[in-house]
Amino acid sequence: MKHKAGFVNIIGNPNVGKSTLMNAFVGERLSIITSKAQTTRHRILGIVNGDDFQILFSDTPGIIKPAYELQASMMDFVKSAFEDADVLIYMVEIGEKELKDEQFFNKIQHAKIPVLLLINKIDTSSQEEVEEKLLYWKEKVPNAEVMLISALENFNVEGVFNRILEILPESPAFYPKDQLTDKPERFFVNEAIREKILLHYKKEIPYAVEIETEEFFESEKIIKIRSVIMVERETQKGIVIGHKGAALKRVGVEARKDLQKFFDKKIHLELYVKVNKNWRNDKRQLRRFGYNE
C-alpha cells in the first residue's frame, strides 16, 4: 500500500474560521477560538494519521498589515506556510471579497501547488448569495478548487478532508504516528490561559498580554503548573488582577477546567501577573516567547 503525507496549510483573513476548521480536522482543540481578531499568534501544527497517510495541518495567524514587531513575526509564520505547503487551503467567509494583503493574494493566484479555496460560514447566508460567491471566487482565483463549507456546523468538512487525501503526494510519514502536534505541553497551557483573557477582557488588554509557563511538573495523578501573565503597563496589571483578585481567579478557574480536559489529569494552576514593558516591540523578548524563530 502506498503511503501519502504532506503539509496542508490554512491561510486567510482574521476570523474566517481557520482554527475551527483545523480543530475539526484534528479532532482535538489545539487552536484557541474567540470572536476577537488575532486570536492565533503562532503557526500550530495538528497531525492526523491513518494507516496509509499522515496529514500535517497548519493553522496560521489571520493576515493583517503589521503595526508592531509581534504582528510582523505573526506574518512571518504565514510566509513560512507558503514555503512548505503541499496543499494550500485559502479560507474566506461568505461576505468577504479580498485578502488584506495583495502580496499574499498574488502568491495564492500563482501557486504551483493545489489550492483549495473554502467558502466558510455558508449556513449564515442565502442560497442566492452562496451561488454568487461561488462564481465570484472561481473567477478571482481560477487556479483554485472552490468548495463550500461550514466549519462550525461540520458541513462538508469530511468532503474537504477526502479531497485532501486524493491530492496529497506520496511520501513517508514526517512524524511518529502517535504524535498529535509539534508543540510542547507548556504551549497549550499558555494558550488556554490566553484564550480566557481574550474572552474576559476588553480593548487593549488581550493584545498586550503574553503568557509564560515557568513550571510544569507532572506526576501520576496531577500536573502542577505555575504561569506568569505578562502585561506592558502597571495599569494593565491592575485590570488583569481585578478587584480583590476576582478577575484573575476567574481566568485561573476556567483555564484549569480546560487543561484538565486536554491533559485528562487533575491540574493545580498558579497564576501571577508581571509587567514586561513594551514586549511586543522587543525582538529579544519575542524570540524568548517563540516568535522570530
Side-chain angles (χ1 to χ4, degrees), residues 143-287:
N143 57 308
E145 185 176 336
V146 183
M147 300 179 78
L148 303 171
I149 68 160
S150 171
L152 190 63
E153 299 297 329
N154 213 27
F155 171 74
N156 205 26
V157 171
E158 188 179 351
V160 174
F161 187 90
N162 291 337
R163 184 64 187 126
I164 289 165
L165 272 180
E166 286 172 11
I167 58 182
L168 211 62
E170 285 182 22
S171 169
F174 292 88
Y175 288 86
K177 283 291 186 110
D178 60 351
Q179 192 165 334
L180 179 66
T181 182
D182 63 336
K183 297 291 185 197
E185 286 102 336
R186 290 181 191 222
F187 175 83
F188 295 103
V189 173
N190 298 346
E191 289 289 90
I193 297 163
R194 195 168 65 84
E195 179 184 55
K196 302 312 170 192
I197 289 167
L198 279 157
L199 291 171
H200 293 306
Y201 297 85
K202 296 174 183 176
K203 296 179 181 176
E204 184 64 11
I205 294 289
Y207 304 104
V209 160
E210 182 61 44
I211 317 298
E212 187 170 42
T213 294
E214 293 185 333
E215 290 182 6
F216 185 99
F217 295 123
E218 185 169 5
S219 62
E220 192 179 336
K221 292 184 178 177
I222 193 169
I223 303 172
K224 294 182 179 179
I225 300 165
R226 189 175 76 193
S227 300
V228 176
I229 299 170
M230 307 276 184
V231 293
E232 291 190 312
R233 296 192 298 275
E234 283 290 340
T235 51
Q236 294 167 345
K237 181 178 177 180
I239 293 167
V240 170
I241 294 171
H243 183 60
K244 294 185 178 179
L248 183 63
K249 185 179 179 181
R250 178 168 66 172
V251 167
V253 168
E254 291 185 12
R256 182 175 55 80
K257 284 178 183 174
D258 282 0
L259 289 168
Q260 284 184 167
K261 281 183 196 168
F262 187 79
F263 291 110
D264 197 22
K265 197 172 275 195
K266 192 177 178 184
I267 301 286
H268 175 77
L269 176 63
E270 290 179 35
L271 289 181
Y272 300 89
V273 186
K274 287 183 183 176
V275 177
N276 186 347
K277 289 181 181 176
N278 205 33
W279 69 266
R280 284 185 293 179
N281 270 315
D282 186 330
K283 287 186 178 181
R284 184 178 63 83
Q285 295 275 17
L286 289 168
R287 272 194 298 276

Side-chain angles (χ1 to χ4, degrees), residues 19-230:
S19 297
T20 305
L21 181 67
M22 159 89 157
N23 292 342
F25 281 144
V26 178
E28 291 280 349
R29 212 160 162 271
L30 296 183
S31 290
I32 63 174
I33 300 162
T34 78
S35 60
K36 289 187 171 76
Q38 300 168 49
T39 296
T40 303
R41 285 181 176 173
H42 293 261
R43 182 176 168 187
I44 302 167
L45 197 70
I47 305 168
V48 180
N49 292 293
D51 291 339
D52 57 350
F53 70 86
Q54 182 178 79
I55 307 177
L56 306 143
F57 289 104
S58 269
D59 186 14
T60 61
I63 293 170
I64 51 171
K65 293 255 169 71
Y68 40 84
E69 279 296 329
L70 169 64
Q71 291 181 336
S73 300
M74 287 159 61
M75 291 310 95
D76 285 342
F77 288 129
V78 180
K79 285 174 193 168
S80 72
F82 277 97
E83 288 161 12
D84 62 18
D86 295 293
V87 177
L88 198 62
I89 290 180
Y90 171 36
M91 202 161 178
V92 301
E93 62 180 358
I94 196 74
E96 72 179 80
K97 289 192 171 181
E98 59 189 12
L99 200 59
K100 289 180 180 175
D101 187 299
E102 284 180 23
Q103 195 178 355
F104 281 133
F105 192 64
N106 191 51
K107 279 187 172 186
I108 293 164
Q109 289 173 311
H110 296 92
K112 304 292 185 204
I113 56 169
V115 177
L116 298 180
L117 194 156
L118 306 185
I119 304 175
N120 191 28
K121 305 183 185 179
I122 62 161
D123 53 306
T124 63
S125 186
S126 65
Q127 182 68 29
E128 190 182 4
E129 191 183 7
V130 169
E131 287 172 7
E132 182 190 311
K133 294 298 178 190
L134 195 61
L135 292 171
Y136 172 85
W137 284 111
K138 281 181 177 178
E139 196 175 302
K140 194 89 172 169
V141 191
N143 57 308
E145 185 176 336
V146 183
M147 300 179 78
L148 303 171
I149 68 160
S150 171
L152 190 63
E153 299 297 329
N154 213 27
F155 171 74
N156 205 26
V157 171
E158 188 179 351
V160 174
F161 187 90
N162 291 337
R163 184 64 187 126
I164 289 165
L165 272 180
E166 286 172 11
I167 58 182
L168 211 62
E170 285 182 22
S171 169
F174 292 88
Y175 288 86
K177 283 291 186 110
D178 60 351
Q179 192 165 334
L180 179 66
T181 182
D182 63 336
K183 297 291 185 197
E185 286 102 336
R186 290 181 191 222
F187 175 83
F188 295 103
V189 173
N190 298 346
E191 289 289 90
I193 297 163
R194 195 168 65 84
E195 179 184 55
K196 302 312 170 192
I197 289 167
L198 279 157
L199 291 171
H200 293 306
Y201 297 85
K202 296 174 183 176
K203 296 179 181 176
E204 184 64 11
I205 294 289
Y207 304 104
V209 160
E210 182 61 44
I211 317 298
E212 187 170 42
T213 294
E214 293 185 333
E215 290 182 6
F216 185 99
F217 295 123
E218 185 169 5
S219 62
E220 192 179 336
K221 292 184 178 177
I222 193 169
I223 303 172
K224 294 182 179 179
I225 300 165
R226 189 175 76 193
S227 300
V228 176
I229 299 170
M230 307 276 184

